Amino acid sequence: MKLAIASLFIGLASAWSPANDASSSRREAISKTLAAGAALAYPLVSNAYSVPDLPYPYEALEPYIDTPTMKIHHDKHHATYVANINKAMEGKEEVPILDLMENALDAGPVRNNGGGHYNHAFFWSEMAPPDVAKKTKPSDALAKMIDASFGSMDEMKSQFEAAAAPGAVFGSGWVWVVLNNAGTKLEIVGTPNQDNPLMKGVKDEIKFPILGLDVWEHAYYLKYQNRRPEYVSNWWNVVNWDKVSENFAYVSEKKSGVPVEG
Amino acid sequence: MSGKKVIFDTALRASVNLQSSKLPTELTKSSTALFSALSGVKATLPDLSYDYNALEPAISAQIMELHHTKHHQTYITNLNAAMEKMDSAMMNGDVSAVIALQGALKFNGGGHINHTLFWENLSPNSEYKEGGTLDKALKERFGSKDGFISELTATSLAIQGSGWGWLVYNPKTKMVDIASCPNQDPVEATTGLKPLLGIDMWEHAFYLDYKNVKPDYVKAIWDVINWDTVEARLEAAK
């Protein structure tokens, strides 16, 4: 409580600092301060996780992923997973969503909603608008590992598309490029529903995603309807290979999943 | 394909030869029957007994047409392909290949069965008969028709990912009950329960109309249930 009152004073005082000369920004500063104070005074654990902002506007991935899909996928579907994981984690210790993944199979709500939150946060961060994406490329280290594991980038894409085909992922799920547990090669794996390869028990061993694609119908149905193969082959146009290379460097070094925002 | 034909011809020749021998006619009949049973059994897309727009506003014509001509048709196409491969595998005695095909058969065969049942348990004319066999069974198990609707709604909405919600008949308890199955798993084949009414909870069944708001879809579908079909299925199951 003391902390809340102190932060209120400091925050309110800052509203009148020289930096805030326009009255609207003062209003903003005051309302933000009150909100922060309230949050500190009443530590509602339901604020543990949040939907991270998209790193680009909703329309940025057009024409490969349409604006309405980005809006609904981010603002509704992802938000629902976040609301549900917050409910499931009420009263529990706050940990980064990545830390919930290893033992997610122990509890249904964590598996579905924690998985859903992590997977979508991971997904948004690895994509970029087409004109940006086309200037990105795998790092030397990643390119080498791709060739060693699959023969070539084209071969990897081919295998990925086969794993993402309607018959291969039977219902809802995700397709991933992962680094195996030993860190010796990349593999392509499919997981059902909101499972991911970081969850102990989902695959024969924990594996570390560097790239993933949502093939739930909500991810593509508005634009592609039943034409999932078209969605998948178009998706390469928005993959940010610089981020994927960063992911690869991270998982190779830390032998842990990539942390995500939110 | 041609390999299969050779086997048929051999089988037919054999059965013809058997006919001309002094072996009992039952034996010759059964060998030809066996081989003809494995051939030419192809699933086909059943026609709907109503127009694509007949279930509006609960389900749009756009969804009905896509769902029927694309999704259901794809299950049928892939089922037929899997069954052809199964024929070859069985005729070659290739147990490993037979086992490897199980996933595709369950998925595509289940998809065909489930959607066929689905079209039949929907109708623009949705009339519920008070006091009939179905009504009595629902009241016995759920207390009321609304109690049943509540429970099947909740079960359907609780499905994570893709799957179906079902009203079923349990031949062991001799009562109706609620069940759900993941993906395209067919109820009877995987649980022994007999399907009476199915609700498709795959996103393709509702997304264009309802987006992420599943509850609105399930609420609306109760307006277009073919209760006569559900009752007929219950009577047949008993």
Side-chain angles (χ1 to χ4, degrees), chain A residues 136-183:
Chain A
T136 66
K137 64 177 178 30
S139 61
D140 288 342
L142 176 57
K144 211 163 129 202
M145 186 57 114
I146 287 175
D147 289 349
S149 309
F150 301 104
S152 66
M153 171 65 100
D154 280 348
E155 185 51 39
M156 184 186 88
K157 286 185 177 176
S158 206
Q159 282 186 35
F160 191 94
E161 291 183 21
V169 181
F170 281 168
S172 310
W174 290 72
V175 182
W176 310 91
V177 176
V178 295
L179 181 67
N180 68 347
N181 199 272

Side-chain angles (χ1 to χ4, degrees), chain A:
Chain A
M1 199 48 165
K2 281 185 194 161
L3 184 59
I5 293 169
S7 74
L8 272 171
F9 274 121
I10 293 166
L12 287 167
S14 80
W16 273 270
S17 76
N20 290 326
D21 45 10
S23 62
S24 63
S25 75
R26 181 171 299 144
R27 263 203 300 282
E28 230 182 40
I30 292 172
S31 69
K32 275 193 183 147
T33 305
L34 288 172
L40 281 170
Y42 302 98
L44 296 168
V45 293
S46 58
N47 289 330
Y49 301 108
S50 60
V51 186
D53 287 334
L54 292 175
Y56 33 74
Y58 295 114
E59 64 272 16
L61 306 185
E62 291 263 11
Y64 306 108
I65 302 184
D66 55 299
T67 309
T69 293
M70 289 303 289
K71 274 209 165 105
I72 299 171
H73 203 176
H74 177 264
D75 295 355
K76 307 283 184 203
H77 289 275
H78 189 173
T80 301
Y81 289 121
V82 169
N84 289 342
I85 188 62
N86 281 334
K87 232 187 316 192
M89 295 300 291
E90 238 179 88
K92 302 210 175 98
E93 189 201 338
E94 274 186 43
V95 296
I97 190 69
L98 171 64
D99 292 6
L100 289 185
M101 292 301 98
E102 188 173 343
N103 296 310
L105 260 52
D106 291 346
V110 177
R111 179 179 188 170
N112 291 316
N113 299 297
H117 175 31
Y118 180 86
N119 296 341
H120 288 87
F122 182 90
F123 188 48
W124 311 132
S125 73
E126 70 186 0
M127 294 190 289
D131 54 346
V132 172
K134 74 163 171 258
K135 297 192 194 114
T136 66
K137 64 177 178 30
S139 61
D140 288 342
L142 176 57
K144 211 163 129 202
M145 186 57 114
I146 287 175
D147 289 349
S149 309
F150 301 104
S152 66
M153 171 65 100
D154 280 348
E155 185 51 39
M156 184 186 88
K157 286 185 177 176
S158 206
Q159 282 186 35
F160 191 94
E161 291 183 21
V169 181
F170 281 168
S172 310
W174 290 72
V175 182
W176 310 91
V177 176
V178 295
L179 181 67
N180 68 347
N181 199 272
T184 53
K185 63 180 166 104
L186 295 174
E187 297 169 356
I188 291 169
V189 298
T191 52
N193 298 339
Q194 294 297 348
D195 287 357
N196 66 48
L198 294 171
M199 298 176 178
K200 198 161 47 179
V202 162
K203 295 289 165 195
D204 54 346
E205 50 176 29
I206 290 179
K207 299 174 197 280
F208 310 107
I210 65 169
L211 177 68
L213 176 61
D214 190 350
V215 287
W216 279 62
E217 287 174 326
H218 66 237
Y220 62 88
Y221 209 81
L222 294 179
K223 179 181 169 74
Y224 294 98
Q225 290 89 55
N226 62 304
R227 305 183 313 277
R228 190 198 292 180
E230 203 184 309
Y231 159 66
V232 179
S233 61
N234 276 350
W235 176 71
W236 298 113
N237 291 298
V238 295
V239 170
N240 181 344
W241 290 102
D242 292 346
K243 178 66 166 81
V244 178
S245 303
E246 270 173 47
N247 291 346
F248 174 67
Y250 188 92
V251 306
S252 302
E253 191 196 317
K254 308 275 189 194
K255 291 304 211 56
S256 132
V258 170
V260 295
E261 262 189 70

Side-chain angles (χ1 to χ4, degrees), chain B residues 66-79:
Chain B
L66 273 167
H67 204 174
H68 184 242
T69 63
K70 304 283 188 228
H71 291 276
H72 189 174
Q73 179 61 64
T74 300
Y75 289 121
I76 288 169
T77 304
N78 293 341
L79 171 63

Side-chain angles (χ1 to χ4, degrees), chain B residues 39-180:
Chain B
S39 72
V41 176
K42 288 214 178 304
T44 56
L45 186 66
D47 285 332
L48 302 184
S49 58
Y50 39 79
D51 289 338
Y52 287 130
N53 62 6
L55 305 182
E56 292 192 343
I59 305 177
S60 67
Q62 187 191 20
I63 284 189
M64 288 304 289
E65 192 171 350
L66 273 167
H67 204 174
H68 184 242
T69 63
K70 304 283 188 228
H71 291 276
H72 189 174
Q73 179 61 64
T74 300
Y75 289 121
I76 288 169
T77 304
N78 293 341
L79 171 63
N80 288 334
M83 285 191 15
E84 252 188 57
K85 290 196 188 130
M86 182 60 96
D87 281 359
S88 302
M90 282 178 65
M91 291 220 255
N92 294 329
D94 187 345
V95 178
S96 178
V98 168
I99 292 170
L101 284 165
Q102 298 307 305
L105 279 175
K106 184 161 90 165
F107 182 62
N108 294 297
H112 176 40
I113 292 170
N114 293 338
H115 286 87
T116 301
L117 290 170
F118 188 52
W119 309 134
E120 289 168 1
N121 65 230
L122 297 173
S123 169
N125 310 310
S126 174
E127 270 170 54
Y128 183 84
K129 224 165 49 194
E130 296 283 344
T133 319
L134 176 64
D135 189 42
K136 292 206 186 101
L138 292 178
K139 288 186 165 122
E140 180 191 21
R141 172 66 183 76
F142 304 103
S144 66
K145 176 193 178 205
D146 283 345
F148 151 63
I149 287 179
S150 228
E151 243 192 84
L152 182 50
T153 296
T155 295
S156 302
L157 291 175
I159 293 171
Q160 296 290 330
S162 304
W164 289 72
W166 295 96
L167 173 68
V168 294
Y169 177 73
N170 186 334
K172 291 205 183 108
T173 63
K174 303 216 191 301
M175 283 179 67
V176 295
D177 207 347
I178 306 274
S180 70

